[in-house]
Amino acid sequence: MDTPSHDSDQTPAEEPKADPKDSPKVDTANPGKRKRLLLIFAAVLVVIAVLYFIYDSLVLSKRVTTDNAYVAAETAQVMPLVSGQVIAVTVSNTQTVKRGQVLMRLDDADLQIAVAQAEADLAGAERRYGQTAATGDALQAQANARGADIGAARAQLLLAQGNLDRAQIDYQRRQALVAAGAVSGDEVTAATNALRTARANVAIAQAGIAQATATRASALEDRAANTALTRGTTRDNAPEVLAARAKLRQARLDLSRAVVRAPIDGVISQRNVQIGQRLAPGTAAMVIVPVDQLYVDANYKEGQLQHVRVGQHATLISDLHGDDVVYHGRVVGLAGGTGASSALIPAQNATGNWIKVVQRLPVRIALDPKELRDHPLRVGLSMDAEIDISGDR
């Protein structure tokens, strides 16, 4: 059986030819143009690098910036200086107040009683001083009277001495006549008794002089003691009067403190007092933030502080007002330590796996009060701070 024969001359199917339009075009016609483009691109990069170097040398290197800055202020704590029950509160949180404006009132009934008592004590002290001065004059009069008593006692002594001399002579005469029997015994006895009486009267007169002298000395001592209480003083500057007057001033001062006033201009914050509440001296009632006396604490990295000095000028931008409002300030001080060093538990890096962490130091920048009035800020807001250090380089 014949098998069909195969044509050995049969050619394989031809592969489809690629379309020349589908192959990528290679610009081999103008290689110089591509070279010029590369040179222009390289020149642009060099110019940009040079411009950045110049900008960094002339501008960036003379300024240090940070966005880790926040608004702060020296707030005023409002607290009563006397105890009492709150009967009125005239302000609320976010309210703007002026210095001297009434913030709250305390019940002053007890304080008014204290003022009345102090006034009575002052009047009593003035009267006691007047009484002491009058007593001194009376004691001087008594001393003068005791001097007159001494004169009277001396006169009595002279009289008694004269009676004694007369009785002595009478007694001697009768005693001389006793031997002759010219006088009776009764006469001698009477003369003897008269002599004794005269002597006793002399002794009494001498004792009267001594008593009058002692009384006058006592009166003079009383006068000296009284004079010591008023010497060099008047009713206006007597110590007791001054003490009573000081107590009266204190009572009046306490009465005035029943009305609590704003110590500074600012905005009320953290008000935590209500009507009817009884406050003790020193109890924090509210806080006043002086919005026109704000400053910024900018936390700069330690590597940025080499040329930062007090007095350098700074510009600041707040997130609140945006880039359209630029604040101007001045560096007034650098903190004495970093925030980590001032923490309750300072960081301890004495470990084997210690990793250095760049520290930040607060730099205080005072703001222009006029700019603050035109564009108010609030404590705690974020700021971008830039300090011009060109003057230190």
Side-chain angles (χ1 to χ4, degrees), residues 24 30-31 33 44 60 112 123 130 159 164 188 229 257 268 287 337 391:
N30 194 0
K33 182 178 180 181
V44 170
L60 295 182
Q112 290 180 358
L159 179 60
L164 176 60
V188 174
L229 297 176
R257 286 172 173 171
I268 298 296
V287 175

Side-chain angles (χ1 to χ4, degrees), residues 330-348:
R330 184 174 56 87
V331 176
V332 295
L334 283 74
T338 64
S341 65
S342 302
L344 183 62
I345 303 178
Q348 297 294 330

Side-chain angles (χ1 to χ4, degrees), residues 142-164:
Q142 291 180 6
N144 296 336
R146 297 294 81 79
D149 291 343
I150 293 175
R154 286 175 179 174
Q156 289 292 333
L157 178 60
L158 292 176
L159 179 60
Q161 189 65 47
N163 292 334
L164 176 60

Side-chain angles (χ1 to χ4, degrees), residues 286-356:
M286 62 190 73
V287 175
I288 299 180
V289 180
V291 293
D292 59 344
Q293 299 178 14
L294 302 178
Y295 56 84
V296 171
D297 282 334
N299 301 299
Y300 279 94
K301 297 178 182 179
E302 50 190 323
Q304 296 177 292
L305 299 175
Q306 180 180 3
H307 300 289
V308 175
R309 300 290 184 269
V310 174
Q312 291 174 339
H313 295 283
T315 55
L316 305 100
I317 297 175
S318 71
D319 293 347
L320 176 64
H321 297 290
D323 298 342
D324 294 336
V325 178
V326 177
Y327 295 89
H328 298 83
R330 184 174 56 87
V331 176
V332 295
L334 283 74
T338 64
S341 65
S342 302
L344 183 62
I345 303 178
Q348 297 294 330
N349 296 323
T351 59
N353 58 349
W354 172 75
I355 298 176
K356 180 179 179 180

Side-chain angles (χ1 to χ4, degrees), residues 79-84 106 278-284:
M79 56 186 65
L81 299 179
V82 294
S83 62
L106 306 179
R278 184 170 183 83
L279 300 180
T283 303

